[in-house]
Amino acid sequence: MKNRHVVNLLRALLLVSVFLVWDSLVRFGWASKFFFGEPLLVLRQVVKWFTTGEIYPHLLTTLLETILAFSGGALFGLGIGLWLALNPTAAKLFDPYVKALSSMPRVILAPIFALWFGLGIWSKVALGITLVFFVVFFNVYQGVKEVSPVVLANARMLGANSRQLLRTVYLPSATSWVFSSLHTSVGMAFVGVVVGEYLGSARGVGYLILQAEGVFDINAVFAGILVLTVFALILDALVSLLEKSVYGWRASTAAVTTTEAT
Amino acid sequence: MRNESAAVAVELQRINCTFASSDRKADPYPAVSELSLRVADGEFVSVVGPTGCGKSTLLNVTAGLLRPTSGTVRIFGQPLVGLNARAGYLFQADSLMPWRNAAGNVAVGLQYRGVARREAEARANDWLVRVGLAGRGHAYPHQLSGGMKKRVALAQTLILDPEIILMDEPFSALDVQTRLLMENELLDIWAANKKSVLFITHDLEEAISLSDRVVVLSAGPGTRCIGDFVIDIPRPRDVSEIRHELRFVELYKDIWHAMKAEVLKGYAQTKVRA
């Protein structure tokens, strides 16, 4: 217990010293204020955003987009993952294309989505979905393939028809794998959304950063990055909470993490 | 004539099972050849034989999970098509669904048959009491010991009231004490409603203490029946006591005598393969 306090204290000190080093580098002219900003002004910007309430609509937009991107990607990944895992012929047919699409740097789709869906939230949701989809897809695929043949034979002997097999064997196994990859896929949704905002939008934290960059306000850019980091940490903590409440049986399966192209 | 065939629960006639070899140059492997076996209605038959002799193959054929290359399977006189709906199967390996708790696992077969969830779980809890797991319905398989998991699997199969029970070395992974307890419980449950049982084991003592009849298989390839022994030890039996009875020792000697050559043959083959 005492040890934990010491660790926490040291961690806080580490953070403070990084800010101190940054501040002194800029203050004594070893680094340019123009390119590296000033920590105190960065913090002041963050405080200003929150006290004026200016940032809330942007945060809300980013959050909404992340949630939509995650749910959409998870739904598609689950559906198509189940379909391909249970249809070996279709899986064989689609295999090279799935590989091609998953290894493609999908962020490059952002301009196309902006053309198709406009500058509103939907182009960001679409980009997030393409990132989330593959994480969920590969985990569902694995989840179905990893079903123990004995459990499967047992369910069949107990009288399950193919729909009941899907509902009571394949789907629970697949969702357990999806749950074990939840941190990765929520993170992916967030990345897709912020990159989408940054590339062209009218709202969102990525948009704030883009605006600040446009007027060379380096402090506001850093402030935006700081807000995004804290936001991502909170999101991750929420996922851990959700995980704890849903896990009735502990999945000892390790999630498939796809190599990311962002 | 018709009556007589109806009294036979399982009839395997001249079953051949040949598996294509994974190595293309090698000849296909004849696991079972010309094997015939009968289990009368209400009879407890054990099948013993050396390791790797195709005992599980035989069970999978009876369950309808595996189609024999040739030969016929009759269940209560009817040729078997597809899965054997009149049989319950107790597997050797873990067969419970890890994402369902004990009660959920026991209830699942009833739910497949359209029984409402609440009623299915109520009946599942009754069965959990019968196999000695009262109050453990909420535990997930990973929270249960090996013996407890086997009890859940037993309840899962028996709740559906199958006319034939197929068992593939169900107790082989248990420690000796748990195993004796489970064997006695199995006999109690069996005595209460006389199902036909086809029990696979490599343990001769287990086979003799449980069965009405013990069938001995030869070593593979091309497994056949080489012995058929009626176990005339009176019931009810206590499996932990029966082993010291004179008749048990006699039967053990006879069957072991028939098996010995095959066991040595099987052992020699596994050594060659390794």
Side-chain angles (χ1 to χ4, degrees):
Chain A
M1 210 53 200
K2 208 172 175 184
N3 207 3
R4 232 178 69 193
H5 286 306
V6 174
V7 170
N8 282 338
L9 189 71
L10 285 177
R11 279 176 179 164
L13 274 176
L14 198 64
L15 187 69
V16 170
S17 51
V18 166
F19 271 90
L20 279 177
V21 169
W22 179 12
D23 188 66
S24 42
L25 279 177
V26 182
R27 192 175 298 268
F28 298 114
W30 292 317
S32 150
K33 276 182 193 171
F34 183 76
F35 289 114
F36 293 93
E38 287 165 87
L40 282 178
L41 293 181
V42 169
L43 289 178
R44 190 175 295 163
Q45 179 68 64
V46 173
V47 171
K48 193 185 137 207
W49 274 341
F50 279 93
T51 47
T52 58
E54 194 190 337
I55 196 152
Y56 291 118
H58 297 291
L59 268 179
L60 221 63
T61 306
T62 305
L63 179 67
L64 178 70
E65 288 165 351
T66 307
I67 291 171
L68 286 174
F70 170 73
S71 339
L75 224 61
F76 276 121
L78 199 64
I80 295 180
L82 277 176
W83 179 56
L84 284 191
L86 296 174
N87 284 283
T89 333
K92 233 178 212 165
L93 192 67
F94 282 101
D95 180 60
Y97 303 107
V98 169
K99 270 192 191 130
L101 284 176
S102 76
S103 50
M104 175 176 98
R106 271 157 277 131
V107 175
I108 214 62
L109 294 173
I112 298 176
F113 288 145
L115 279 175
W116 288 352
F117 304 115
L119 291 178
I121 64 167
W122 295 111
S123 56
K124 285 87 207 163
V125 172
L127 187 62
I129 284 177
T130 62
L131 296 184
V132 172
F133 171 81
F134 283 95
V135 178
V136 174
F137 171 82
F138 284 118
N139 276 290
V140 168
Y141 196 82
Q142 198 67 20
V144 171
K145 294 280 160 200
E146 293 283 306
V147 170
S148 142
V150 181
V151 172
L152 203 59
N154 189 37
R156 289 179 63 206
M157 284 307 292
L158 292 171
N161 60 32
S162 50
R163 256 186 57 200
Q164 290 166 329
L165 274 187
L166 183 71
R167 211 165 44 85
T168 58
V169 180
Y170 290 120
L171 206 58
S173 175
T175 36
S176 75
W177 277 71
V178 171
F179 257 100
S180 61
S181 66
L182 211 56
H183 286 279
T184 324
S185 42
V186 170
M188 281 297 125
F190 188 59
V191 167
V193 160
V194 170
V195 170
E197 285 173 357
Y198 179 72
L199 290 178
S201 61
R203 231 178 219 185
V205 183
Y207 166 79
L208 275 185
I209 295 177
L210 179 64
Q211 289 302 98
E213 193 196 354
V215 296
F216 292 106
D217 183 356
I218 192 70
N219 291 322
V221 172
F222 275 118
I225 294 171
L226 203 64
V227 170
L228 279 182
T229 310
V230 173
F231 188 76
L233 283 176
I234 294 173
L235 218 56
D236 204 59
L238 285 178
V239 170
S240 297
L241 233 91
L242 182 73
E243 239 174 16
K244 258 188 204 156
S245 67
V246 172
Y247 268 147
W249 68 287
R250 291 185 71 80
S252 54
T253 47
V256 182
T257 42
T258 50
T259 47
E260 196 25 52
T262 37
Chain B
M1 187 68 201
R2 199 159 169 218
N3 227 349
E4 193 192 50
S5 69
V8 179
V10 176
E11 181 163 31
L12 305 179
Q13 273 175 328
R14 306 184 61 184
I15 298 291
N16 285 285
C17 283
T18 307
F19 294 113
S21 177
S22 53
D23 181 5
R24 264 189 212 172
K25 279 177 224 154
D27 293 327
Y29 182 77
V32 174
S33 57
E34 297 291 310
L35 194 147
S36 298
L37 182 76
R38 276 172 166 230
V39 180
D41 194 11
E43 192 182 23
F44 197 126
V45 176
S46 285
V47 175
V48 293
T51 48
C53 76
K55 296 183 295 251
S56 299
T57 306
L58 197 71
L59 216 55
N60 286 335
V61 165
T62 314
L65 288 167
L66 181 74
R67 274 175 64 114
T69 314
S70 70
T72 49
V73 182
R74 286 176 191 278
I75 304 301
F76 291 103
Q78 303 289 320
L80 177 63
V81 183
L83 282 183
N84 188 345
R86 300 173 83 165
Y89 197 141
L90 207 59
F91 291 84
Q92 181 180 9
D94 266 350
S95 60
L96 298 177
M97 299 172 187
W99 44 84
R100 278 180 174 245
N101 62 21
N105 263 294
V106 177
V108 75
L110 290 177
Q111 286 175 284
Y112 288 151
R113 280 160 180 71
V115 177
R117 188 188 166 145
R118 189 169 292 180
E119 197 204 325
E121 294 208 339
R123 280 167 64 183
N125 279 319
D126 289 347
W127 263 99
L128 284 173
V129 174
R130 286 179 73 172
V131 296
L133 287 174
R136 297 308 300 271
H138 292 292
Y140 283 87
H142 77 272
Q143 297 166 319
L144 298 172
S145 70
M148 288 174 175
K149 276 191 259 192
K150 278 291 170 237
R151 287 163 205 260
V152 176
L154 192 65
Q156 189 184 46
T157 301
L158 293 181
I159 196 173
L160 299 175
D161 202 24
E163 292 158 279
I164 303 163
I165 305 171
L166 308 172
M167 297 186 168
D168 188 4
E169 305 195 19
F171 308 140
S172 62
L174 305 180
D175 62 86
V176 182
Q177 287 83 6
T178 314
R179 195 170 171 166
L180 287 175
L181 288 175
M182 289 287 294
E183 286 167 2
N184 267 335
E185 279 172 34
L186 176 64
L187 278 188
D188 286 346
I189 291 171
W190 175 76
N193 48 12
K194 293 274 177 174
K195 308 285 186 191
S196 312
V197 178
L198 186 56
F199 191 95
I200 303 281
T201 179
H202 61 261
D203 182 344
L204 191 48
E205 287 192 359
E206 182 175 65
I208 299 172
S209 29
L210 295 177
S211 316
D212 294 321
R213 205 146 59 80
V214 173
V215 172
V216 182
L217 297 187
S218 72
T223 298
R224 300 157 291 113
C225 288
I226 52 164
D228 194 333
F229 297 83
V230 174
I231 309 300
D232 49 4
I233 300 171
R235 296 183 188 271
R237 304 173 184 164
D238 179 343
V239 288
S240 50
E241 299 295 325
I242 194 176
R243 292 171 195 216
H244 312 296
E245 281 181 27
L246 190 64
R247 183 69 190 131
F248 183 96
V249 178
E250 274 174 19
L251 280 165
Y252 188 93
K253 268 187 196 157
D254 287 352
I255 302 175
W256 175 242
H257 189 72
M259 264 178 87
K260 195 174 170 186
E262 295 300 323
V263 171
L264 290 176
K265 213 161 96 190
Y267 180 64
Q269 278 166 1
T270 49
K271 261 171 89 179
V272 168
R273 265 181 240 154

